[in-house]
Amino acid sequence: MFNKRVILSIVTAITFALLISKYIDIKNNDLLYKHTFISKTHTNKKYKIIIAGDSRVYRGISPEQIQKILKHSALNLGYSSAGFEKTLFNLINNKLDTTSYTKIIILGITPWSLTPEASKNEHLKQELNRKREEIISDKYFFKIKKSFTVLSPRLISKKYIKKSNILYNYQEEFYPNGWIASWYIVPQPYKALPEYKKTFKKNTVSKKIILNLLNQIKKWTNNKIKVYGFFPPSSFDMEVLEDNYSGLNRKKFVADFINAGGNWLNVGKDYTSYDGSHLEKKSAIKLSNKIAKLILNHKTTNYYTDNKTEYLCKNIKHKILVNLSSQVLHNKIKKQNTTNIVCVNNKNIYGSLLIKQISQLKILPKKICITSNILLNDTLSNPKLIFNIERDSILILQKTLNLSDICKNNKWTKVEFSIFVPKKIKLSDYIKIYFFNKSKTPIYIKNAEINIL
Amino acid sequence: MLFNSLIFIIYAVIFFSLLPIINKLKNNYRWIFITISSFIFYGWWDWRFVFLIIFSGLIDYLAGLYIKKQPKYKKVFLSLSLLGNIGTLVIFKYSRFFAENFDKLFNYFGYDINLQNNIPEFMMILPVGISFYTFQSMSYTIDIYRGRLNPTKNIFHFFSYLALFPQLVAGPIVRAKDLLPQLKRIKKISSIESWNGFKLIIIGFFKKVVLADNIADMVNRAFNDINQSQSALFWWLAVTGFAFQIYFDFSGYSDIARGLAKWMGLNFRVNFNHPYISKSLREFWNRWHISLSTWFKDYVYIPLGGSRKGKIRSHINAWITMIVSGFWHGASWTFVIWGALHAFFLSLERIIKLQKIPVIKYLSYLIVMFEVLIAWVFFRADSFSQAILIIKKMLSTNFTTNFNINLNSLFYVIIGILIELWFLFGINKIKLFNKKIRRNIDFIYIIILIIVIILFRGKGQEFIYFQF
């Protein structure tokens, strides 16, 4: 084994690999992700503030910001798809400094975290069951491992052939106390919706899980631990979806939470989600500051405030009232009394709301919000509202909203579709907003409005 | 302990640092050292597994001794050994399968016996590599019974053969008559042997960590959601991806095992010899998992009569061997069908003699690939119905290219295909330079491979064959 050539080849290769890694400088997010979770799960340190919940918590709350304001050590115990059950409670108890005078638990409660699927706590258990060698290896060899980047042919082609500065749309920053700041360079505000809708079909909020959580809150408060709860903000459409499908009665839940001894925080909704579920970095900092300040100033609430409207567009600079009867802009949209029907007789019909060159809008848009009341006869036909930006007839951005994720059969639903327009947009680019429907089932539209910010 | 883990690197450094010192002592100490080290290696997964291998090994060790001592009762001792080994396999590997199928059978006749829910919990754990070491252990007693091998009297000599860590969990299945004598000799390892062993280890890691692990993503995504594409092209790519993933995963493991063995002064035979450049399915089986196919040939096919009892019987024997081989791979009907499909294609090949038809002769590589890929679908699919659906898609005329496939993974599949073509056209045999230059090129080639392993490593995954 200890042949000269063998050792020389290993040393040479490692040196070159190190130099290449240093030169290329691409973060190994998988390694950093693993390290973040191993560190927070297996740390021996105790904290005065514990923040717990699912991915909306570990992506949406910065313990560092809370520490700054409350002046106490804080740890984010958020895990993917986590649920409030025994395993998470035990971990919270284990990490909380019970000897301290200040003992605070902040629970980020999502409808998902109260479902039976979530209470399986697969991610949390996977972290807890990590082999000793993995934990030791992470503790002592993380820095060495971090020095070696991980490349792929695609990354190399992007960086050196296409000379692109953006290697991934998904950006993540990892912080020591469990927060993962995340955002998309090009936001996809509806990305998470279909998956949530699918999972809520067979998996809704369980009364038993809520009861166990309330009992646990009682135990904590009896032990002089202050328990705070809040609903982590996501997006307007996500909350509509969760209210329609999850089976959670937010008002009743908040009342029960307060009765159990907990304190409720009304964090508002003025935040931005990059995928419809998780908050982008700036919003996460804003939320963390808000939580800390509410706790510091004892500004808890004793009722639930549904302020979904805060998600709606603000500071509208330009408004287009869509005239659906105009044949020039809205081909193949037929009018029927007060409502408009898209896609009646033909296959693959497009019903356009807007086709305009940016120069015609007179401003460079940053965000475009489309609001409309929509009625579907058949959600299974999977109709879509599509937003395109085209340059020289080439598609440079496409965002799609699956209407069946939001609308219920034969029920008028207010649909909000907002898109962040990339900074690189040019005046010569075209914006197209249209409905796409493969089936012959009509889509009814009322009060369609496009707001340009 | 996984070969592709940091803990194994530490383990290997300690083991190979101590080995030269231990080699200076008596054989007995060396065997004890190898046995204990191998038990640590195996027990790292779960320490309870060590008791199973000790139990299984003790039966064969004693059976071997008594077969030799009391030849009158040799059949009894052989039966005990087979019962012990097959019994262990049935309990730990097949109990759930049998329970499930008995439940279904009795349910059909209106009885609810509910065997599945009554299986003791310990039987639900599948010890890593159980199929490999039970087969290795069985071959030991069978060879003694047949008079081809003398049993070893030293229990540590026996266990250093049975539990030898490089090949313990995923082969190659080494015969006692090959390995026991090698373990007796203390061989000084030359620098060339040491370098060759290192080369094998690096090539093995490249196959596993770079090729197999990077291809895995594309294959897993395809098989996790089979409704994502109806395109035949998508499914041919996904199944080809799996063919190369399993090949590089398994042959990578074998190469690492052979390299480690070389460092111990031992020689394992080649286990994979570029199977995807075979002109017939028969040739494929002479190139794929050679240690297992020869095991089945020697201990199942030939004892059944082989091809000595007429054509029809030889076909039947081949079918039995292939089906048993399929069942050896996993306790599921999909594996049985995988074996049966290979048997069917082998029989077809023998009957039609496609290779003798001039036009088809040149298409033979593609025909073999087609047969192998169709069979791999059953090997990889979660269920029979999933496999049928995928095959239907593969054989459809929908050749749309409107699908999402991981281009990174596809890149590594293409690399895999190019490597095999390299060997198909014999480019590897062309020697342009003299020995000295070749030695230097070899050195640079290994350095490049290590750099590629470090920088292009895929997400660490377990070796596929551990589950068998």
Side-chain angles (χ1 to χ4, degrees):
Chain A
M1 181 187 187
F2 304 107
N3 172 312
K4 268 185 201 166
R5 281 186 92 197
V6 170
I7 292 167
L8 190 65
S9 62
I10 293 174
V11 173
T12 317
I14 288 176
T15 313
F16 272 105
L18 261 175
L19 289 172
I20 295 168
S21 301
K22 193 100 186 151
Y23 174 73
I24 289 181
D25 192 30
I26 294 174
K27 274 192 302 176
N28 181 354
N29 279 2
D30 288 337
L31 182 78
L32 293 166
Y33 182 88
K34 193 177 167 187
H35 174 69
T36 305
F37 282 99
I38 291 183
S39 306
K40 72 181 182 187
T41 313
H42 299 280
T43 177
N44 294 324
K45 272 192 203 165
K46 301 277 179 185
Y47 294 81
K48 292 179 183 173
I49 304 166
I50 299 288
I51 310 126
D54 58 20
S55 57
R56 282 189 205 163
V57 167
Y58 77 72
R59 296 198 187 275
I61 308 281
S62 155
E64 285 81 0
Q65 292 298 321
I66 292 178
Q67 266 176 199
K68 249 192 231 170
I69 296 168
L70 294 179
K71 315 270 184 238
H72 294 298
S73 58
L75 178 71
N76 186 325
L77 283 184
Y79 292 86
S80 294
S81 309
F84 289 103
E85 58 84 53
K86 216 175 145 191
T87 325
L88 185 59
F89 299 151
N90 288 343
L91 188 70
I92 294 170
N93 290 334
N94 189 263
K95 304 292 176 205
L96 189 71
D97 182 0
T98 46
T99 59
S100 154
Y101 176 74
T102 311
K103 289 167 281 198
I104 296 173
I105 294 172
I106 305 168
L107 305 175
I109 290 151
T110 61
W112 165 268
S113 64
L114 302 170
T115 62
E117 272 301 311
S119 64
K120 286 180 185 168
N121 265 324
E122 282 174 4
H123 180 209
L124 170 59
K125 284 176 186 164
Q126 179 201 331
E127 293 301 335
L128 286 169
N129 295 334
R130 279 206 187 272
K131 282 190 171 180
R132 204 181 21 181
E133 70 193 65
E134 273 185 286
I135 299 159
I136 295 169
S137 151
D138 183 77
K139 201 171 178 182
Y140 298 105
F141 298 103
F142 170 69
K143 281 188 181 167
I144 299 171
K145 284 187 193 171
K146 211 177 101 179
S147 314
F148 297 101
T149 187
V150 176
L151 300 173
S152 69
R154 208 165 181 200
L155 271 183
I156 290 178
S157 124
K158 265 190 175 180
K159 195 169 168 117
Y160 296 104
I161 300 169
K162 293 181 185 163
K163 307 240 180 233
S164 166
N165 291 325
I166 304 162
L167 297 178
Y168 301 105
N169 186 34
Y170 197 24
Q171 303 288 312
E172 286 177 307
E173 278 173 8
F174 300 83
Y175 291 84
N177 288 7
W179 176 43
I180 302 177
S182 336
W183 67 97
Y184 280 149
I185 289 177
V186 181
Q188 299 177 15
Y190 293 92
K191 199 185 173 199
L193 269 75
E195 196 54 40
Y196 270 86
K197 191 180 173 186
K198 210 164 97 185
T199 45
F200 278 134
K201 271 184 183 163
K202 288 176 187 167
N203 176 51
T204 51
V205 168
S206 144
K207 281 181 186 168
K208 200 179 156 193
I209 292 167
I210 294 181
L211 208 66
N212 284 341
L213 172 64
L214 298 175
N215 284 336
Q216 183 60 49
I217 293 167
K218 275 179 199 163
K219 278 185 205 166
W220 279 328
T221 47
N222 287 342
N223 288 330
K224 293 182 180 167
I225 299 168
K226 280 222 156 196
V227 182
Y228 293 91
F230 70 101
F231 291 130
S234 50
S235 63
F236 173 82
D237 299 286
M238 179 60 84
E239 286 203 10
V240 171
L241 189 150
E242 285 176 339
D243 288 348
N244 284 339
Y245 292 95
S246 74
L248 176 68
N249 180 341
R250 292 184 196 253
K251 208 171 171 180
K252 187 178 180 305
F253 177 81
V254 172
D256 291 343
F257 190 94
I258 295 163
N259 281 339
N263 305 283
W264 195 256
L265 303 170
N266 182 13
V267 293
K269 311 278 181 183
D270 194 12
Y271 307 96
T272 311
S273 162
Y274 59 90
D275 64 350
S277 174
H278 305 99
L279 296 189
E280 48 102 41
K281 188 184 171 185
K282 278 182 191 165
S283 289
I285 294 172
K286 193 174 166 186
L287 174 65
S288 312
N289 285 337
K290 176 112 187 194
I291 288 173
K293 281 176 187 165
L294 287 174
I295 294 174
L296 187 72
N297 302 322
H298 307 288
K299 279 191 179 171
T300 55
T301 169
N302 49 8
Y303 54 88
Y304 167 63
T305 324
D306 182 6
N307 34 17
K308 272 198 201 77
T309 45
E310 283 188 39
Y311 283 125
L312 297 177
C313 303
K314 286 179 177 176
N315 310 318
I316 295 164
K317 287 180 183 165
H318 192 82
K319 194 170 218 168
I320 298 171
L321 282 168
V322 181
N323 175 7
L324 291 163
S325 60
S326 160
Q327 285 300 308
V328 182
L329 288 178
H330 320 293
N331 54 326
K332 290 173 186 171
I333 297 184
K334 290 187 179 178
K335 205 168 179 189
Q336 190 185 62
N337 302 328
T338 54
T339 60
N340 297 280
I341 308 166
V342 184
C343 328
V344 185
N345 291 318
N346 304 311
K347 274 185 182 175
N348 295 340
I349 303 173
Y350 303 83
S352 56
L353 288 178
L354 175 79
I355 302 174
K356 272 194 176 183
Q357 201 168 25
I358 304 278
S359 58
Q360 289 175 281
L361 298 175
K362 290 168 192 161
I363 55 159
L364 267 180
K366 286 180 184 166
K367 189 177 176 183
I368 293 179
C369 297
I370 305 139
T371 51
S372 176
N373 286 311
I374 292 174
L375 184 140
L376 303 179
N377 278 340
D378 177 15
T379 48
L380 292 174
S381 66
N382 205 16
K384 294 175 175 71
L385 177 56
I386 297 178
F387 173 91
N388 280 357
I389 297 180
E390 288 174 19
R391 184 173 296 165
D392 304 326
S393 301
I394 297 165
L395 196 62
I396 58 167
L397 176 77
Q398 183 170 69
K399 297 282 155 211
T400 305
L401 172 67
N402 287 322
L403 295 173
S404 51
D405 290 336
I406 301 160
C407 303
K408 279 188 173 178
N409 270 352
N410 299 315
K411 204 176 168 187
W412 281 103
T413 313
K414 186 166 184 176
V415 173
E416 260 274 320
F417 187 30
S418 44
I419 306 104
F420 290 90
V421 180
K423 283 177 187 168
K424 285 180 181 174
I425 197 164
K426 287 179 182 174
L427 288 170
S428 56
D429 293 342
Y430 272 87
I431 285 186
K432 287 184 182 174
I433 302 165
Y434 58 96
F435 288 95
F436 178 78
N437 193 11
K438 269 188 179 177
S439 82
K440 292 177 182 176
T441 328
I443 304 170
Y444 298 92
I445 305 157
K446 253 198 316 198
N447 307 330
E449 200 176 290
I450 298 171
N451 297 312
I452 298 173
L453 285 81
Chain B
M1 216 179 277
L2 291 169
F3 281 167
N4 51 340
S5 68
L6 195 69
I7 192 73
F8 177 74
I9 295 171
I10 298 167
Y11 169 90
V13 169
I14 298 170
F15 179 85
F16 286 105
S17 304
L18 293 175
L19 191 65
I21 305 163
I22 307 283
N23 274 347
K24 286 176 187 162
L25 307 172
K26 280 182 185 172
N27 261 347
N28 206 18
Y29 292 109
R30 192 156 49 94
W31 295 333
I32 292 172
F33 174 67
I34 292 173
T35 305
I36 292 172
S37 306
S38 299
F39 283 165
I40 292 170
F41 172 85
Y42 191 53
W44 207 265
W45 271 283
D46 190 329
W47 57 270
R48 290 168 300 181
F49 293 173
V50 177
F51 293 103
L52 191 68
I53 195 170
I54 292 175
F55 169 75
S56 173
L58 273 178
I59 293 175
D60 295 307
Y61 169 72
L62 294 171
L65 284 179
Y66 282 100
I67 287 170
K68 188 77 183 171
K69 257 189 196 172
Q70 301 192 356
K72 261 189 187 176
Y73 302 106
K74 68 177 190 177
K75 265 192 183 164
V76 177
F77 293 119
L78 178 73
S79 309
L80 279 174
S81 156
L82 295 181
L83 201 71
N85 284 303
I86 296 168
T88 319
L89 267 181
V90 169
I91 288 171
F92 289 99
K93 190 168 175 173
Y94 299 104
S95 52
R96 220 165 21 167
F97 172 80
F98 286 125
E100 193 188 323
N101 284 286
F102 277 124
D103 279 351
K104 277 183 191 166
L105 188 73
F106 279 91
N107 262 337
Y108 183 77
F109 292 108
Y111 299 100
D112 185 16
I113 53 169
N114 201 5
L115 270 177
Q116 266 193 92
N117 292 337
N118 291 314
I119 297 175
E121 210 175 305
F122 76 93
M123 283 162 74
M124 307 291 250
I125 312 161
L126 178 66
V128 184
I130 187 170
S131 311
F132 284 94
Y133 66 74
T134 46
F135 266 42
Q136 194 158 308
S137 204
M138 268 198 282
S139 72
Y140 172 78
T141 38
I142 296 171
D143 282 352
I144 295 169
Y145 174 83
R146 287 176 178 172
R148 291 177 189 169
L149 177 77
N150 279 326
T152 174
K153 284 176 187 162
N154 189 309
I155 193 162
F156 291 109
H157 187 201
F158 173 78
F159 273 109
S160 61
Y161 148 73
L162 185 67
L164 191 71
F165 75 87
Q167 42 74 250
L168 173 63
V169 287
I173 301 169
V174 190
R175 308 285 176 84
K177 62 177 173 17
D178 292 331
L179 196 54
L180 282 174
Q182 288 192 59
L183 281 164
K184 264 188 185 172
R185 287 192 303 264
I186 301 169
K187 200 178 156 196
K188 206 179 171 226
I189 302 136
S190 69
S191 66
I192 293 172
E193 276 173 319
S194 170
W195 175 252
N196 286 340
F198 181 63
K199 258 172 69 181
L200 274 172
I201 292 169
I202 295 302
I203 291 168
F205 272 115
F206 173 75
K207 284 180 179 176
K208 165 66 187 161
V209 176
V210 181
L211 298 176
D213 284 356
N214 277 311
I215 294 171
D217 187 67
M218 160 181 142
V219 179
N220 294 344
R221 278 192 204 184
F223 280 85
N224 285 347
D225 178 13
I226 62 157
N227 295 320
Q228 63 182 285
S229 179
Q230 303 299 323
S231 165
L233 195 64
F234 172 86
W235 284 104
W236 280 108
L237 286 173
V239 177
T240 308
F242 176 66
F244 280 92
Q245 183 203 352
I246 194 168
Y247 167 51
F248 288 128
D249 189 282
F250 196 16
S251 73
Y253 188 94
S254 294
D255 288 340
I256 299 169
R258 286 178 59 222
L260 291 169
K262 265 198 191 307
W263 276 356
M264 293 167 79
L266 307 168
N267 233 329
F268 291 172
R269 286 183 196 166
V270 175
N271 206 19
F272 289 87
N273 184 20
H274 308 286
Y276 295 138
I277 55 170
S278 306
K279 278 182 272 182
S280 66
L281 202 59
R282 197 190 156 132
E283 190 186 341
F284 173 84
W285 279 105
N286 287 330
R287 288 170 176 267
W288 178 272
H289 202 176
I290 299 164
S291 65
L292 182 77
S293 37
T294 49
W295 196 100
F296 273 107
K297 193 176 126 199
D298 293 349
Y299 297 104
V300 181
Y301 181 70
I302 291 172
L304 283 171
S307 52
R308 288 162 291 151
K309 294 186 177 176
K311 271 188 180 174
I312 293 172
R313 188 61 197 272
S314 120
H315 279 282
I316 294 169
N317 292 342
W319 274 76
I320 294 170
T321 310
M322 291 312 294
I323 288 170
V324 174
S325 158
F327 201 46
W328 174 89
H329 279 87
S332 161
W333 287 111
T334 49
F335 289 107
V336 176
I337 294 164
W338 172 76
L341 254 180
H342 270 278
F344 170 74
F345 288 134
L346 279 167
S347 288
L348 203 70
E349 203 175 86
R350 280 171 70 185
I351 295 163
I352 302 177
K353 293 193 173 88
L354 280 175
Q355 278 68 34
K356 288 187 179 169
I357 305 168
V359 184
I360 290 177
K361 203 173 141 184
Y362 300 102
L363 292 172
S364 53
Y365 295 109
L366 292 176
I367 293 169
V368 173
M369 219 38 213
F370 173 84
E371 293 166 340
V372 171
L373 290 181
I374 293 290
W376 277 139
V377 177
F378 284 96
F379 197 94
R380 178 60 178 80
D382 294 331
S383 62
F384 178 75
S385 54
Q386 195 194 50
I388 293 293
L389 263 174
I390 293 170
I391 290 173
K392 271 186 187 170
K393 286 178 185 183
M394 286 167 80
L395 301 179
S396 75
T397 49
N398 179 352
F399 280 96
T400 51
T401 52
N402 183 23
F403 50 76
N404 278 330
I405 202 148
N406 186 329
L407 293 175
N408 272 326
S409 300
L410 199 60
F411 173 83
Y412 291 103
V413 175
I414 294 166
I415 295 283
I417 294 170
L418 290 176
I419 291 172
E420 292 307 282
L421 288 176
W422 180 276
F423 286 92
L424 176 68
F425 295 118
I427 304 170
N428 57 316
K429 286 175 191 162
I430 302 170
K431 284 175 182 165
L432 291 173
F433 307 104
N434 66 31
K435 213 176 171 184
K436 202 180 167 188
I437 296 174
R438 279 210 309 272
R439 221 172 101 89
N440 291 334
I441 290 174
D442 211 29
F443 182 66
I444 295 164
Y445 155 69
I446 288 299
I447 289 175
I448 292 170
L449 276 193
I450 302 173
I451 296 173
V452 171
I453 291 166
I454 296 172
L455 298 180
F456 289 83
R457 61 194 186 274
K459 281 182 189 165
Q461 314 222 357
E462 277 212 344
F463 288 89
I464 296 175
Y465 259 69
F466 280 8
Q467 58 184 296
F468 309 131

